């Protein structure tokens, strides 16, 4: 294990922000994590676990040690007639893992195709897309306590999953390194095509007999048509969460703004489409220097070339202020600010 100093993170975050880490190391197994965490000189300095860097915004250089998680391996842990339990190490690339499952006919992750990043970060914010969230297929995870170096197993309930939320973003923030995640997948698929554009896309593709490969292809096509590819334009996906408001508040908004987009939730509240709110405030396609709001998806902030993390952050502040002023709705950032 090599520890490097003043290491550039520009290629390691999908926003392409030019920030550096005071110390940097790539970690290939749990023992290396333990070794580095027990080094006295690193005891009191900040630590950042890095996966694919696709949900981070660096607003300054990181004055501590960045540990790039490179733990690899996929194993079938157990199976019965209906299910397979597949354990993936945290450093596995998410989409490659999804493709591995699809190619083996393990169903459940197909709607989550093409999400950037690594397996280890997937439970952090309970990643979700096209009607499925990690919590729907999650069995358990293993994580290393950064203080006492003990390994702990977290069940679905322990993770306290919510919409783009988990215990690791709240009470246990910065206390655990996720080393592996086990998913409970189905041998016979339960297709989930209820999310708007999937059915249309499958029809366009001429799919007669539904299968998980086709759903994955449809999801990839929809995503590619509106989300910017980070290799071409720096971004971290949705910058904000879709805000939840009471039914009452929604009715008030609807009487003033009849076209407002909202989806009723099981708890009776309504989830508003933040992309719509931002677009209606006139931000879609706007740029401030090299920072901008994507022209096809107003929920995605982008770095066109050499924007700093602070420029992107300032743009997000302005967007929050204008949405608050026009709709009296508070937008919350989804991306982790460092
Ligand atoms: P990183 O950005 O490296 O890390 C994110 C956070 O998790 C950081 O706080 C980091 O310290 C922490 N972390 C990472 N790994 C570990 C670990 N092993 N243990 C403990 N902490 C860890 N998200 C969705 O939910 N749905 C989408 O549809 C979606 N679409 C996207 C589209 C694009 C184009 C982009 C760029 C992003 C999108 N995202 C989406 C966001 C992002 O891909 C996910 O949040 C992803 O899970 C982040 O993974 P990562 O490995 O890149 O995490
Ligand atoms: N909309 C607009 N203008 C825009 C963008 C969206 O009016 O510029 C409205 C449209 O009415 C559209 C609705 O918002 O029908 C929803 O848009 P979309 O289907 O693109 O989804 P989203 O709500 O913007 C969420 C997730 C995405 C996920 C997609 C698909 C959040 C914060 N974002 O986006 O996740 O891929 O649904 O399930 O929940 C991410 O988390 O990084 C991410 C990309």
């Amino acid at each position: 294990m090599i520890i490097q100093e003043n290491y550039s993170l520009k290629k390691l975050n999908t926003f392409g922000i030019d920030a550096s880490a005071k110390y940097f190391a790539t970690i290939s197994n749990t023992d290396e994590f333990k070794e580095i965490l027990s080094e006295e000189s690193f005891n009191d300095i900040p630590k950042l676990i890095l996966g694919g860097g696709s949900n981070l915004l660096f607003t300054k250089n990181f004055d501590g040690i960045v540990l790039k998680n490179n733990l690899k391996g996929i194993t079938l842990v157990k199976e019965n007639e209906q299910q397979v339990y597949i354990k993936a190490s945290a450093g596995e690339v998410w989409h490659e893992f999804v493709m591995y499952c699809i190619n083996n006919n393990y169903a459940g992750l197909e709607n989550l195709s093409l999400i950037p990043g690594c397996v280890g970060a997937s439970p952090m914010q309970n990643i979700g897309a096209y009607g499925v969230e990690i919590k729907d297929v999650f069995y358990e995870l293993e994580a290393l306590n950064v203080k006492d170096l003990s390994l702990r197993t977290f069940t679905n309930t322990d993770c306290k999953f919510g919409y783009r939320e988990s215990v690791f973003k709240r009470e246990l923030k910065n206390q655990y390194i996720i080393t592996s995640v086990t998913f409970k997948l189905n041998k016979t698929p339960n297709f989930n095509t209820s999310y708007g554009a999937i059915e249309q896309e499958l029809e366009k593709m001429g799919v007669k007999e539904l299968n998980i490969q086709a759903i994955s292809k449809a999801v990839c096509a929809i995503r590619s048509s509106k989300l910017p590819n980070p290799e071409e334009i720096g971004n971290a996906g949705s910058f904000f969460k879709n805000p939840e408001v009471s039914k009452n508040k929604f009715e008030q908004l609807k009487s003033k703004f009849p076209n407002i987009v909202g989806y009723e939730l099981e708890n009776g509240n309504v989830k508003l489409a933040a992309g719509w709110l931002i677009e209606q405030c006139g931000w879609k396609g706007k740029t401030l220097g090299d920072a901008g709001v994507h022209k096809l998806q107003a929920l995605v902030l982008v770095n066109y070339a050499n924007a700093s993390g602070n420029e992107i952050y300032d743009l997000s502040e302005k967007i929050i202020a204008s949405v608050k002023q026009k709709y009296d709705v508070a937008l919350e950032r989804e991306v982790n600010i460092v």
Side-chain angles (χ1 to χ4, degrees):
M1 181 180 40
I2 303 162
I3 296 169
Q4 285 165 287
E5 287 187 42
N6 299 321
Y7 192 85
S8 172
L9 300 170
K10 192 170 161 66
K11 291 202 173 110
L12 298 177
N13 71 98
T14 60
F15 253 125
I17 301 296
D18 195 3
S20 63
K22 188 165 186 192
Y23 302 104
F24 178 89
T26 299
I27 307 295
S28 303
N29 57 57
T30 309
D31 284 342
E32 285 184 353
F33 267 127
K34 288 184 179 168
E35 196 185 314
I36 211 154
L37 291 170
S38 46
E39 267 211 33
E40 229 174 276
S41 54
F42 293 129
N43 264 356
D44 295 321
I45 68 167
K47 293 163 194 82
L48 176 79
I49 313 305
L50 186 65
S54 64
N55 206 28
L56 286 170
L57 178 68
F58 289 104
T59 54
K60 51 185 176 306
N61 291 332
F62 189 74
D63 192 23
I65 183 159
V66 169
L67 302 170
K68 166 82 179 129
N69 188 324
N70 203 29
L71 273 53
K72 297 284 185 189
I74 300 175
T75 43
L76 192 157
V77 181
K78 58 179 177 175
E79 63 184 313
N80 56 37
E81 265 180 34
Q82 287 90 33
Q83 270 110 19
V84 275
Y85 293 75
I86 308 288
K87 180 174 178 173
S89 295
E92 288 289 339
V93 171
W94 177 258
H95 181 66
E96 287 173 10
F97 172 61
V98 171
M99 292 318 290
Y100 167 90
C101 293
I102 290 173
N103 291 337
N104 283 285
N105 279 319
Y106 305 147
L109 295 176
E110 52 282 1
N111 293 49
L112 300 172
S113 297
L114 214 60
I115 297 181
C118 296
V119 166
S122 64
M124 287 294 296
Q125 67 153 11
N126 179 26
I127 57 168
Y130 299 94
V132 176
E133 290 180 328
I134 274 289
K135 70 167 175 46
D136 305 324
V137 282
F138 177 95
Y139 180 61
E140 64 181 26
L141 66 75
E142 255 175 31
L144 185 69
N145 184 310
V146 296
K147 284 268 176 290
D148 66 14
L149 307 185
S150 61
L151 270 177
R152 177 175 161 192
T153 302
F154 287 78
T155 63
N156 203 316
T157 320
D158 295 334
C159 291
K160 300 190 182 167
F161 290 125
Y163 165 59
R164 298 294 191 273
E165 278 299 345
S166 76
V167 72
F168 304 104
K169 272 183 108 173
R170 301 252 170 216
E171 302 97 288
L172 299 182
K173 194 171 174 172
N174 296 332
Q175 292 183 40
Y176 280 92
I177 297 171
I178 296 165
T179 54
S180 71
V181 187
T182 304
F183 298 90
K184 186 179 172 183
L185 302 172
N186 293 318
K187 291 185 176 175
T188 312
N190 297 316
F191 301 121
N192 186 339
T193 59
S194 56
Y195 199 97
I198 298 187
E199 298 272 8
Q200 281 167 24
E201 189 61 39
L202 288 166
E203 221 176 284
K204 207 165 99 188
M205 286 162 51
V207 173
K208 296 268 175 313
E209 213 175 303
L210 202 52
N211 55 68
I212 57 175
Q213 286 79 4
I215 294 181
S216 171
K217 277 197 183 129
V219 167
C220 290
I222 302 166
R223 294 180 65 94
S224 305
S225 72
K226 58 180 169 186
L227 289 169
N229 177 352
E231 280 172 23
E232 289 156 15
I233 306 175
N235 76 92
S238 302
F239 198 87
F240 305 98
K241 293 183 187 180
N242 285 323
E244 189 175 324
V245 297
S246 68
K247 186 92 196 273
N248 204 10
K249 168 85 180 171
F250 181 67
E251 297 302 342
Q252 283 170 21
L253 285 167
K254 194 146 179 78
S255 64
K256 245 174 121 182
F257 308 100
N259 295 329
I260 191 164
V261 183
Y263 313 90
E264 197 159 334
L265 300 170
E266 275 171 16
N267 64 9
N269 286 345
V270 178
K271 194 182 270 188
L272 300 178
W276 187 89
L277 300 172
I278 298 168
E279 181 175 352
Q280 298 302 311
C281 287
W283 286 106
K284 199 169 182 170
K286 278 242 169 99
T287 51
L288 285 182
D290 278 348
V293 179
H294 193 243
K295 60 179 190 303
L296 301 177
Q297 226 305 357
L299 201 43
V300 178
L301 302 193
V302 293
N303 173 12
Y304 282 110
N306 296 309
S308 68
N310 279 318
E311 284 172 300
I312 307 268
Y313 188 84
D314 288 348
L315 174 61
S316 76
E317 288 276 75
K318 290 191 168 72
I319 292 170
I320 290 173
S322 64
V323 168
K324 177 81 184 154
Q325 195 189 16
K326 185 162 180 182
Y327 299 101
D328 190 28
V329 170
L331 287 185
E332 195 187 327
R333 292 180 186 85
E334 186 207 90
V335 169
N336 299 284
I337 310 296
V338 184

